[in-house]
Amino acid sequence: MKAITYHGPKDFRVERVPDARRESDGDAVVRVSKAAICGSDLHLWHGAMPIAETGFVVGHEFVGVVEDVGPEVRTVRRGDRVLASALIGCGGCAPCRGGLWSGCSVFRARGGQNVFGFSTALPGGQAEAVRVPYADTNLFRIPQDLSDEQALFLTDILPTGYMGTELTEVGPGDVVVVLGCGPVGAFAQRSAQLRGAARVIAVDLDEARLARARERGCETLNPKTADLSAYVAQATEGHGADAVIEAVGRGELLLKGVEIARPGGRVAVVGVISEPTQIPFLSLFLKNLTLRSGLVNPQRYIPLLVPLIRAGRIDPTEIISHRLPLTEGVHGYEIFASHAENALKVVLEP
Amino acid sequence: MKAITYHGPKDFRVERVPDARRESDGDAVVRVSKAAICGSDLHLWHGAMPIAETGFVVGHEFVGVVEDVGPEVRTVRRGDRVLASALIGCGGCAPCRGGLWSGCSVFRARGGQNVFGFSTALPGGQAEAVRVPYADTNLFRIPQDLSDEQALFLTDILPTGYMGTELTEVGPGDVVVVLGCGPVGAFAQRSAQLRGAARVIAVDLDEARLARARERGCETLNPKTADLSAYVAQATEGHGADAVIEAVGRGELLLKGVEIARPGGRVAVVGVISEPTQIPFLSLFLKNLTLRSGLVNPQRYIPLLVPLIRAGRIDPTEIISHRLPLTEGVHGYEIFASHAENALKVVLEP
Amino acid sequence: MKAITYHGPKDFRVERVPDARRESDGDAVVRVSKAAICGSDLHLWHGAMPIAETGFVVGHEFVGVVEDVGPEVRTVRRGDRVLASALIGCGGCAPCRGGLWSGCSVFRARGGQNVFGFSTALPGGQAEAVRVPYADTNLFRIPQDLSDEQALFLTDILPTGYMGTELTEVGPGDVVVVLGCGPVGAFAQRSAQLRGAARVIAVDLDEARLARARERGCETLNPKTADLSAYVAQATEGHGADAVIEAVGRGELLLKGVEIARPGGRVAVVGVISEPTQIPFLSLFLKNLTLRSGLVNPQRYIPLLVPLIRAGRIDPTEIISHRLPLTEGVHGYEIFASHAENALKVVLEP
Amino acid sequence: MKAITYHGPKDFRVERVPDARRESDGDAVVRVSKAAICGSDLHLWHGAMPIAETGFVVGHEFVGVVEDVGPEVRTVRRGDRVLASALIGCGGCAPCRGGLWSGCSVFRARGGQNVFGFSTALPGGQAEAVRVPYADTNLFRIPQDLSDEQALFLTDILPTGYMGTELTEVGPGDVVVVLGCGPVGAFAQRSAQLRGAARVIAVDLDEARLARARERGCETLNPKTADLSAYVAQATEGHGADAVIEAVGRGELLLKGVEIARPGGRVAVVGVISEPTQIPFLSLFLKNLTLRSGLVNPQRYIPLLVPLIRAGRIDPTEIISHRLPLTEGVHGYEIFASHAENALKVVLEP
């Protein structure tokens, strides 16, 4: 089958790989209809992650149709239209039963790789087909009235953006700052509105992205031209923001978030910060802050996000800027990495 | 001063009464700029409440300007534009410190009347001026950018509607049924949307009120022409509603609410049911329901509702159907009681 | 195999029935090592439940050893020592995924019987062996350092007692009233202490049971000789109890619970009230009460109760008053039903 | 009056200072009956805090009798036996109304000093008398059945220890690690037990303190002789601790806490870390941790801790190792700072 594979930083290739096949009785194989390139795929692209292997299929955002299921699988069948959680768990261990599939003991015991598309152990979804382990836990049927594209971002970034508002306990009347207007930031902004935020302040350096944030009802601020701390102070009578969500993945933004949060505020990081970051303990102490981060568990958020999409309260497709055939996926990476052509989210079609 | 007074069912009078004056060091006197007639005032009007006294000033929804404060008062001053919580507490006892001013021990010890306008002990706000006890606890300054009318419903019915969604723990993705599209029902619907409900199903017998509910984004159902149980079952794949809010005050609607809630669902009553009502324990048991009701504590909700009004996410004035001078207040009662002239909410101006 | 079967009120028989066998690929068969008689079995015994069938095996509290598993079963194996949740779910439907196995859609669609031992569809555990559907969801391995008797009450009544404290949100410093000192009441009292209650007031008519409650650190009150309302008022400076747990199953006790709860308090019913009960809505309203009841979901509480038993913070065997061979089970019912021989909990050994 | 004053690191003096007097209408003056030396007073002693002033009265833990009240004060009277919160708020600003007196806007506007005994603006309680601003908010009457010593630690360290378990959301069945067995650690351990922890693992370098922790039912570990990470891994089947509370105030212990927490776990710092500390963001991310710290708000915890002390579920006096006259206070500092004479907590009597 055809797939996009990793061969080193900026060396991704569309090539033929062995067909996806079941390896265990709980596996399913999914024929991919749509896949997407995620900001965390760019970490691979830029060489920001230490990866020893090469040749594996990349991508962890995909939807498709079940092609084969093992004898242990109960909840999906051949022909079902499904989405897979980007991050998988066994479903039976203590962390999985407790709702933290990202901490699955089974995968931890094997060395920990439970996100699609970062290893040969768990090949990704930018391909014609994918093997999905523990299908009962990790596949979700797509309701008839949802298109593939409407379901696609439930695999990762819509839950990730929403998680930002859960980790910061956004509630009615809150002033929320979202640092970053990329796909995850956009969904964090939408989620904050859905949870009743009075004001959502969206921050980015990219004016095109800020314009889109304004369209979705946010106030916007470009740190190149205005001072965020002063803006937040003015907006909150000097108290600070109730919630701050870092959706870029830069240590300095986390520090800024801690600075602009109010006493008793909550700060969450849903971007992936790879550089070492010194969190000033004293601010946490003097301001009674809560600081959280974490791998997303889409399994947890899908049941509440699906009805919101069906009811039209969220339209996840608003972030799609490009649709390309899988065979042009490398170009997709290039424009997404460079913000060329105002690329915000690239969808691939095998 | 002029005021509307109670002399028996349907015998309300505009008449002169002694001027409002401080009686304790923590009191303030507020010159009323706007007052409103509340659905619970209609209980008096219809004689549905056992009241021994006559001659007292009615009304518990009012805003105005502070005219006088006692020496203990710290947080408001002469000239401040303020709103009063319809229900007051001393601020110092255990229930008040615990955020349940409605259960204030001081008022309980005196026999319990801590809502304005139902007794001579605590005269109401449909008057030129009102005495407000424990002003530090029960008066709130109105922000400059909020008009009197925007602040007026913070005294009672906007918090009451919002409370319905808190008591039923409405959260993102929920299917919420609001029984009743009067002022409280309308605000419960808005609040459910603000808290992220996927679908809000508004129920009423009055087509004009249903039309307004549709304008605010609700699905609507008139039990005269459609079956609510069937509708909810269909809307939820047979599960039932996540949350049901009774906003009318009729026992049979509470029973219907229990019937249409899903297993694990929440049911709240924010209408005042005066007839004896037999709640079927077995449904609570077999469906693991949570049932709640309660007097509203506006003090609790004002801090989160004010920023929502300021940001334009709620416009409380949307329910105002009539504005009348205080001297025509009796006519206001008549049209509100009879739904004449599509009366939804009547505001009085002294 | 031998089993206790139902043939009508007070007509339970020890007799031979067909061996338990797998019927579906997700089933397991468990050879029973210990079973217990539950208070809700007494509803059958007394004819308080409308049951059309006869001849089925009774009992829903049992532990044993896995004898056979179907091909879909992943998490338990032949030879595992296990306990079964008294109440079962499919594990895959929306209510099950949401943690409410008691509301399982699959069983609801089949007419609803998902408790062992109340129908021929789901024969019970007072037998030499039992078929357990959806074994991955409903069986739990017993840790090596827990005896069968220590694990036995995790199947139902320990979680039920604990649930009483969760439904009433018992927290540090609370004054908690537990109505009833039977097995469920005893565990509710222990659980209230574990969650930090300052005072647990245990109520019963049976002096022997009250003496046991005092041994576990409760204050006790016998309504035959003292007035509960006066006692609670005195204990709480007139405020009322923070939490009241009805653990008997009598409507009048629920009403008493509503009476003695403080404003803002929580009342839960974990006994099964079979008579129609008129809950006074006005008390809920005037006192801002939360009222809850529900079928227990042991699957939810087992993960937190197991470590507490292992650490010695709860000893569930404290309630065992009698151990009898399965063949003497009918005698067990007789003494438990009549409180003869101070029977508190009867364990049966096949 | 006599008082202990600060003149530089290790230069504390017992000397005469001007009598405490009311300065505002909301002030009270309290004649001190007992005061205590707190671990955070040692920061002053050791010169670990940048303090520009000298000559001020130190100490923030004290109880006494109200000697004078201003005209605004409503809730306490002359002659009342009271305790003061170590940290004070105005009671009327948004943070105070929201339950975060530590973030009081009024004090923030004045430069922030709202803990007794760290400045001339707010002289401390190791004195014969103290001025208490905003007495209605910051003084609490001591119930008759509580001794002065039983009430003394409600001013700061009992709430601080308890806060550690709240910030880490300790619940039934949890495995909790408390780093440190000083006064705050001891109360964190007691609080963890009260909230239902299955196991409390107490860590310290001081064997005498570990022996006391064992007496209160903890498992103990001395890092000098055993490996904490290995111990926690073994105790939790490799998962890690549910909650970790740093109660010493050393950056390296915070890092250890992050290491031993399980995925989804909670880490809180209730010790004061003064050295710069680099929190490894990646651990927060990969393990979905919640990290919290904060100034204590005793006002929040006193209402729940008082009933626990009255019921005998916590005996705060267990930590008192020394009782000295105020005039020997400097000796008290010396032995507490050096752990001489097994000093754990020193109480001073004016």
Side-chain angles (χ1 to χ4, degrees), chain D residues 53-91:
Chain D
E53 300 178 296
T54 58
F56 57 84
V57 180
V58 296
H60 52 270
E61 301 181 350
F62 61 92
V63 298
V65 174
V66 175
E67 195 171 83
D68 187 20
V69 296
E72 277 181 10
V73 177
R74 280 204 303 122
T75 61
V76 295
R77 296 188 188 177
R78 233 189 108 125
D80 283 350
R81 204 159 52 101
V82 294
L83 67 98
S85 172
L87 182 156
I88 64 178
C90 77

Side-chain angles (χ1 to χ4, degrees), chain B residues 25-26 71-75 90-92 97 134-137 139-140, chain D residues 25-26 71-75 90-92 97 134-137 139-140:
Chain B
D25 289 351
E72 278 179 12
V73 176
R74 280 204 302 123
T75 60
C90 77
R97 281 176 186 250
Y134 303 105
D136 279 336
T137 300
L139 285 181
F140 292 79
Chain D
D25 289 351
E72 277 181 10
V73 177
R74 280 204 303 122
T75 61
C90 77
R97 281 177 187 249
Y134 303 105
D136 280 336
T137 300
L139 286 180
F140 292 80

Side-chain angles (χ1 to χ4, degrees), chain B residues 39-97:
Chain B
S40 43
D41 293 329
L42 292 184
H43 287 284
L44 273 183
W45 178 263
H46 287 302
M49 274 182 179
I51 298 274
E53 299 178 297
T54 59
F56 56 84
V57 180
V58 296
H60 53 271
E61 301 181 351
F62 61 93
V63 298
V65 174
V66 175
E67 194 170 84
D68 186 19
V69 296
E72 278 179 12
V73 176
R74 280 204 302 123
T75 60
V76 295
R77 296 188 189 177
R78 233 190 109 122
D80 282 351
R81 205 159 52 99
V82 294
L83 67 98
S85 171
L87 182 156
I88 64 178
C90 77
C93 69
C96 282
R97 281 176 186 250

Side-chain angles (χ1 to χ4, degrees), chain B:
Chain B
M1 63 180 189
K2 270 180 288 182
I4 304 181
T5 54
Y6 171 83
H7 292 274
K10 295 184 190 162
D11 183 6
F12 284 34
R13 304 176 194 165
V14 177
E15 60 186 354
R16 294 207 80 85
V17 297
D19 281 357
R21 277 206 276 197
R22 286 200 297 107
E23 297 180 5
S24 299
D25 289 351
D27 288 359
V29 172
V30 173
R31 180 136 306 263
V32 175
S33 51
K34 303 265 179 183
I37 304 176
C38 178
S40 43
D41 293 329
L42 292 184
H43 287 284
L44 273 183
W45 178 263
H46 287 302
M49 274 182 179
I51 298 274
E53 299 178 297
T54 59
F56 56 84
V57 180
V58 296
H60 53 271
E61 301 181 351
F62 61 93
V63 298
V65 174
V66 175
E67 194 170 84
D68 186 19
V69 296
E72 278 179 12
V73 176
R74 280 204 302 123
T75 60
V76 295
R77 296 188 189 177
R78 233 190 109 122
D80 282 351
R81 205 159 52 99
V82 294
L83 67 98
S85 171
L87 182 156
I88 64 178
C90 77
C93 69
C96 282
R97 281 176 186 250
L100 201 79
W101 299 267
S102 61
C104 175
S105 305
V106 170
F107 283 96
R108 209 163 1 125
R110 290 180 196 162
Q113 193 43 263
N114 61 339
V115 183
F116 287 101
F118 289 95
S119 65
T120 52
L122 193 60
Q126 292 170 11
E128 290 180 295
V130 199
R131 176 178 74 91
V132 177
Y134 303 105
D136 279 336
T137 300
N138 304 306
L139 285 181
F140 292 79
R141 274 199 300 271
I142 300 175
Q144 263 193 318
D145 53 353
L146 250 57
S147 70
D148 285 354
E149 284 191 351
Q150 283 179 304
L152 179 56
F153 305 128
L154 287 166
T155 58
D156 177 358
I157 56 165
L158 176 51
T160 298
Y162 183 84
M163 175 178 70
T165 62
E166 189 186 74
L167 296 185
T168 54
E169 303 163 27
V170 171
D174 279 353
V175 174
V176 180
V177 177
V178 178
L179 301 167
C181 296
V184 168
F187 286 140
Q189 293 156 18
R190 282 280 186 216
S191 300
Q193 292 165 340
L194 268 170
R195 292 171 64 109
R199 301 173 70 172
V200 179
I201 301 167
V203 180
D204 209 299
L205 299 169
D206 179 330
E207 282 296 333
R209 292 186 171 194
L210 290 172
R212 282 160 161 273
R214 279 190 296 276
E215 280 166 31
R216 69 179 78 93
C218 299
E219 303 166 49
T220 58
L221 186 138
N222 189 331
K224 284 195 242 170
T225 58
D227 182 58
L228 178 58
S229 302
Y231 186 88
V232 171
Q234 197 274 339
T236 59
E237 295 163 29
H239 291 303
D242 297 294
V244 184
I245 301 167
E246 204 282 347
V248 176
R250 294 198 43 198
E252 69 186 274
L253 290 182
L254 166 54
L255 304 190
K256 175 57 80 175
V258 166
E259 181 197 325
I260 62 179
R262 72 162 169 82
R266 293 86 57 189
V267 178
V269 181
V270 293
V272 181
I273 302 176
S274 47
E275 72 262 24
T277 296
Q278 176 156 328
I279 302 169
F281 165 76
L282 213 60
S283 297
L284 299 190
F285 173 64
L286 292 174
K287 294 211 295 188
N288 291 56
L289 296 185
T290 294
L291 176 61
R292 291 192 177 101
S293 187
L295 292 156
V296 70
N297 285 275
Q299 295 92 335
R300 174 180 173 79
Y301 304 109
I302 289 167
L304 65 94
L305 292 168
V306 163
L308 289 164
I309 301 173
R310 296 178 77 179
R313 296 211 57 191
I314 287 187
D315 175 10
T317 64
E318 66 165 297
I319 63 164
I320 300 176
S321 60
H322 292 74
R323 293 172 181 86
L324 300 174
L326 178 66
T327 49
E328 293 176 30
V330 177
H331 177 63
Y333 273 87
E334 286 164 352
I335 59 174
F336 187 37
S338 63
H339 288 213
E341 306 174 24
N342 277 331
L344 184 59
K345 190 72 181 178
V346 178
V347 172
L348 305 174
E349 297 170 8

Side-chain angles (χ1 to χ4, degrees), chain D residues 102 111 115 121-122 146 166 290 309 330-331 343 347:
Chain D
S102 62
V115 183
L122 193 60
L146 249 56
E166 190 185 72
T290 295
I309 302 172
V330 177
H331 177 63
V347 172

